């Protein structure tokens, strides 16, 4: 609970000083190129991976990418690039 | 992408096969450890293919111990592995280097010399001159100085107006242009003589002395316009010593006789459809025959030669297959309509004359005589045709023949 208070404070600060929220709050940043490339920074790991669906854990919950022939083009500690034919992206908020 | 590919190729990487049920956990652990994985592809629920650098692969061992997956190397890629492989196969490496050297050496030699543009000039002569200048198939490209060869050609072959030498790969292209020389005939002095028996009707001299008059009958070879500088009335420019090149137009009446004949009965042979085929296969100097000779009384041969050729190389194998078809013939007696035969005879008699006429001949009169003859039991139609035409009768004859003769006679 304390974490959310801290988050709220940081968010207020970020908007007050016009700082990018993803830097201050460690939010995920997603870049999509067409429907073939999906780049996510600040991910927290892979929950499930198969060629039709990839679930990624983030601080905010879960991000699900659906499509066909999905491949992980590169995988770093905080960055993941997915290629393939992307059909949908879904954000699922964690229970907390 | 390209940079990453080149870099990883340079550093060396391995394609790994990851098997197990906890593949996601394996990926998360790897990324947390800072091991960079790329081109990850899931082939089935328990099988994954990924690429990892050599150093990354070593660090993966730690993870494999704690996560229940197996990691196998599927393929080693990149320069370090290539070096290692080549190091083990020195002969292969040496062969590759040797073959590159060979190609380089072979392509720096002139293998072909082509000569274009030789019309009057003998190609062999040009080749000889080139060889004297040190150019023949097999010399180094670097030893060839195109300008120098061009100069050599121009110096040694006075018949040339221009020479161009161009190196195209292993081909040396020599293009020559010959001087257009005035034919000897157009310069020598001479006379205008009659080229057929005729009755002179018109003389227009340009150069020289007229020796005949209009209305005179001349015989073949008679001098009509003299090129000699004897007469006080001679004019025109001097060519050679004491002689001119006579020129002028002489027209006259000429009579031509032409014969034509046609048979009323003729024999035509045609094929019966029966064919006998023989074959001959020759390889170099040897040959084999098969098939029987035809049992026909009269026949026609049709020969077909087949040679396997490598079209692209313009090269023929010394193998030849000759197929000969013998077609049986029968001869048939065909009677021609008298009118048609007459037409044919008339046409032939005209054709016999037409070939001898000058193109601008003017026909003054014609006489046709029809004769029917019996020969060997068959009737023959003959046509005798006499044509009177008005045409050019003068032709140029060089004088030096006559002169040479005189000199020879005088020296005796």
């Amino acid at each position: 609970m304390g974490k959310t208070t801290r988050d709220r404070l940081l968010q207020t600060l970020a908007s007050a000083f016009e700082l990018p929220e993803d830097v201050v709050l460690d939010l995920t940043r997603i870049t999509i190129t067409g429907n073939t490339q999906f780049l996510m920074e600040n991910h927290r790991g892979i929950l499930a991976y198969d060629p039709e669906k990839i679930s990624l854990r983030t601080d905010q919950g879960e991000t699900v990418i659906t499509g066909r022939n999905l491949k992980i083009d590169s995988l770093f500690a905080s960055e993941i690039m997915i290629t393939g034919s992307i059909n949908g992206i879904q954000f699922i908020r964690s229970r907390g | 992408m390209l940079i990453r590919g080149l870099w990883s190729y340079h550093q060396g990487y391995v394609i790994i096969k990851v098997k197990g049920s906890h593949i996601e956990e394996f990926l998360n652990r790897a990324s947390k450890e800072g091991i960079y994985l790329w081109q990850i592809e899931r082939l089935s629920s328990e099988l994954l293919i990924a690429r990892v650098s050599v150093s990354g692969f070593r660090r993966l061992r730690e993870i494999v111990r704690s996560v229940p997956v197996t990691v196998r190397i599927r393929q080693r890629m990149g320069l370090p592995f290539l070096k290692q492989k080549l190091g083990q196969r020195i002969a292969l490496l040496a062969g590759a280097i040797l073959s590159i050297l060979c190609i380089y050496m072979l392509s720096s030699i002139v293998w072909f010399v082509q000569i274009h543009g030789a019309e009057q000039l003998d190609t062999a002569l040009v080749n000889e001159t080139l060889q004297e200048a040190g150019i023949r198939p097999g010399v180094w490209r670097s030893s060839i100085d195109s300008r120098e060869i061009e100069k050599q050609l121009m110096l040694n072959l006075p018949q040339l107006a221009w020479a161009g030498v161009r190196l195209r790969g292993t081909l040396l292209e020599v293009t020559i242009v010959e001087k257009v020389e005035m034919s000897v005939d157009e310069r020598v002095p001479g006379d205008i003589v009659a080229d057929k028996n005729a009755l002179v009707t018109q003389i227009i001299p340009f150069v020289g002395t007229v020796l005949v008059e209009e209305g005179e009958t001349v015989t073949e070879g008679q001098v009509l316009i003299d090129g000699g500088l004897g007469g006080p009335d001679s004019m025109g420019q001097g060519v050679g010593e004491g002689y001119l090149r006579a020129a002028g137009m002489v027209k006259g009446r000429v009579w031509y006789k032409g014969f034509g004949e046609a048979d009323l009965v003729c024999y035509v042979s045609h094929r019966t459809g029966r064919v006998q085929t023989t074959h001959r296969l020759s390889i170099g100097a040897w040959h084999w025959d098969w098939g029987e000779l035809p049992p026909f009384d009269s026949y026609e041969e049709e020969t077909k030669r087949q040679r396997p050729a490598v079209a692209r190389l313009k090269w023929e194998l010394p193998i030849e297959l000759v197929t000969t078809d013998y077609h049986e013939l029968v001869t048939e007696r065909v009677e021609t309509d008298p009118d048609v035969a007459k037409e044919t005879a008339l046409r032939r008699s005209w054709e016999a004359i037409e070939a001898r006429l000058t193109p601008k001949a003017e026909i003054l009169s014609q006489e046709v005589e029809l004769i029917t003859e019996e020969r060997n039991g068959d009737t023959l139609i003959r046509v005798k045709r006499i044509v009177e035409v008005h045409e050019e009768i003068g032709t140029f004859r060089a004088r030096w023949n006559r002169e040479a003769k005189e000199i020879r006679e005088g020296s005796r």
Side-chain angles (χ1 to χ4, degrees):
Chain A
M1 279 301 147
K3 201 180 175 185
T4 45
T5 332
R6 184 177 159 266
D7 279 357
R8 238 176 258 140
L9 178 71
L10 281 171
Q11 198 168 5
T12 321
L13 274 172
S15 58
F17 291 103
E18 291 184 4
L19 290 168
E21 288 188 16
D22 61 315
V23 176
V24 180
L25 292 167
D26 265 0
L27 291 179
T28 55
R29 174 200 274 271
I30 297 168
T31 313
I32 302 168
T33 313
N35 68 337
T36 56
Q37 262 188 12
F38 174 96
L39 175 74
M40 181 187 268
E41 289 159 68
N42 290 331
H43 74 95
R44 294 285 170 260
I46 303 164
L47 289 170
Y49 168 33
D50 65 64
E52 266 81 46
K53 186 178 149 197
I54 298 176
S55 301
L56 301 171
R57 188 164 62 206
T58 63
D59 278 345
Q60 290 73 42
E62 196 182 329
T63 305
V64 180
I65 300 113
T66 51
R68 275 181 297 111
N69 296 328
L70 296 178
K71 289 172 192 172
I72 301 173
D73 190 64
S74 62
L75 177 65
F76 288 101
S78 62
E79 196 183 298
I80 183 166
M81 163 92 91
I82 292 164
T83 58
S85 166
I86 297 163
N87 291 339
I89 297 161
Q90 195 186 358
F91 300 97
I92 303 165
R93 282 196 72 89
S94 60
R95 298 162 302 278
Chain B
M1 284 302 189
L2 181 71
I3 299 293
R4 187 185 76 186
L6 285 174
W7 178 250
S8 50
Y9 186 80
H10 178 253
Q11 293 293 311
Y13 62 93
V14 287
I15 302 176
I16 51 167
K17 232 157 69 172
V18 184
K19 245 185 195 167
S21 49
H22 295 75
I23 282 172
E24 282 88 356
E25 201 186 331
F26 166 80
L27 289 175
N28 288 332
R29 284 292 305 274
S31 66
K32 226 167 251 158
E33 295 289 328
I35 301 166
Y36 173 46
L37 297 171
W38 73 93
Q39 289 187 20
I40 303 161
E41 206 175 327
R42 189 152 199 176
L43 297 182
S44 72
S45 62
E46 298 208 339
L47 183 66
L48 181 115
I49 281 181
R51 273 146 228 253
V52 65
S53 67
V54 176
S55 55
F57 179 71
R58 284 198 202 106
R59 284 156 63 203
L60 278 179
R61 283 185 200 154
E62 298 279 320
I63 299 161
V64 173
R65 254 175 237 152
S66 53
V67 181
V69 290
T70 58
V71 175
R72 288 266 157 74
I73 293 177
R74 196 186 180 202
Q75 211 176 338
R76 293 173 174 87
M77 308 285 282
L79 223 51
F81 293 115
L82 196 72
K83 269 188 204 159
Q84 197 186 335
K85 222 187 250 175
L86 282 178
Q88 286 163 0
R89 303 182 65 177
I90 290 171
L92 181 78
L93 188 71
I97 292 168
L98 202 71
S99 66
I100 289 168
L101 272 176
C102 267
I103 291 168
Y104 177 76
M105 249 178 59
L106 290 178
S107 62
S108 54
I109 287 174
V110 172
W111 289 115
F112 307 100
V113 177
Q114 267 182 13
I115 297 163
H116 300 293
E119 280 164 23
Q120 306 289 321
L121 205 61
D122 194 4
T123 323
L125 194 69
V126 182
N127 249 325
E128 221 170 86
T129 316
L130 282 173
Q131 283 191 356
E132 276 169 28
I135 306 305
R136 79 194 88 81
V139 299
W140 292 99
R141 271 170 56 107
S142 56
S143 73
I144 286 171
D145 179 358
S146 303
R147 299 287 151 274
E148 193 56 39
I149 299 164
E150 282 166 14
K151 246 188 250 168
Q152 287 280 325
L153 280 173
M154 291 302 292
L155 280 175
N156 294 327
L157 296 169
Q159 300 95 316
L160 296 189
W162 180 82
V165 175
R166 199 158 62 136
L167 255 180
R168 273 172 51 188
T170 60
L171 167 75
L172 186 82
E173 240 181 0
V174 179
T175 312
I176 56 173
V177 179
E178 291 167 15
K179 278 179 189 160
V180 181
E181 283 201 44
M182 240 163 100
S183 70
V184 179
D185 194 48
E186 275 171 51
R187 284 188 302 192
V188 296
D191 312 311
I192 297 284
V193 299
D195 63 355
K196 54 201 89 168
N197 300 336
L199 178 74
V200 179
T201 54
Q202 198 182 14
I203 306 178
I204 306 167
F206 302 144
V207 181
T209 321
V210 178
L211 295 184
V212 290
E213 275 174 38
E214 285 173 13
E216 213 178 307
T217 323
V218 293
T219 50
E220 194 180 331
Q222 190 179 338
V223 178
L224 303 175
I225 305 174
D226 188 24
L229 265 178
D233 54 347
S234 56
M235 50 169 188
Q237 78 270 44
V239 206
E241 280 246 3
Y243 296 105
L244 293 174
R245 181 184 166 81
M249 211 168 71
V250 183
K251 280 193 171 179
R253 282 185 193 203
V254 188
W255 287 266
Y256 288 99
K257 236 186 245 176
F259 292 97
E261 52 182 51
D263 281 308
L264 274 181
V265 174
C266 61
Y267 295 91
V268 180
S269 43
H270 58 85
R271 293 179 183 180
T272 57
R274 282 174 66 192
V275 185
Q276 178 85 32
T277 308
T278 64
H279 300 278
R280 164 177 286 199
L281 179 72
S282 29
I283 299 172
W286 299 278
H287 62 82
W288 294 271
D289 292 301
W290 69 94
E292 282 172 31
L293 281 172
F296 315 134
D297 291 335
S298 68
Y299 53 83
E300 212 171 25
E301 284 182 40
E302 236 180 55
T303 309
K304 232 186 349 189
R305 284 166 193 280
Q306 281 168 302
R307 261 172 183 274
V310 186
R312 191 182 286 241
L313 296 175
K314 289 185 179 166
W315 186 58
E316 282 191 338
L317 297 174
I319 302 170
E320 188 181 52
L321 178 70
V322 182
T323 313
T324 311
D325 286 336
Y326 296 93
H327 297 272
E328 191 187 22
L329 295 178
V330 283
T331 311
E332 236 180 307
R333 186 186 143 105
V334 179
E335 283 197 31
T336 321
D337 186 65
D339 285 339
V340 176
K342 204 174 112 188
E343 283 286 320
T344 312
L346 280 170
R347 199 186 64 238
R348 284 179 185 160
S349 71
W350 172 245
E351 279 167 0
I353 291 170
E354 200 184 20
R356 287 182 284 157
L357 294 178
T358 51
K360 280 186 191 163
E362 189 187 335
I363 294 161
L364 300 174
S365 68
Q366 283 201 54
E367 225 176 277
V368 178
E369 201 182 325
L370 216 78
I371 312 151
T372 313
E373 237 177 69
E374 288 277 327
R375 197 163 64 185
N376 302 337
D378 294 327
T379 318
L380 187 77
I381 293 179
R382 301 193 80 190
V383 170
K384 182 180 161 192
R385 185 194 287 264
I386 296 169
V387 182
E388 186 189 359
V389 298
H390 190 221
E391 64 175 2
E392 176 86 42
I393 58 163
T395 185
F396 181 78
R397 191 177 67 189
R399 181 123 193 182
W400 56 271
N401 280 336
R402 216 203 294 179
E403 204 180 329
K405 215 169 158 189
E406 277 166 14
I407 289 167
R408 214 176 294 150
E409 276 168 2
S411 65
R412 261 182 212 156

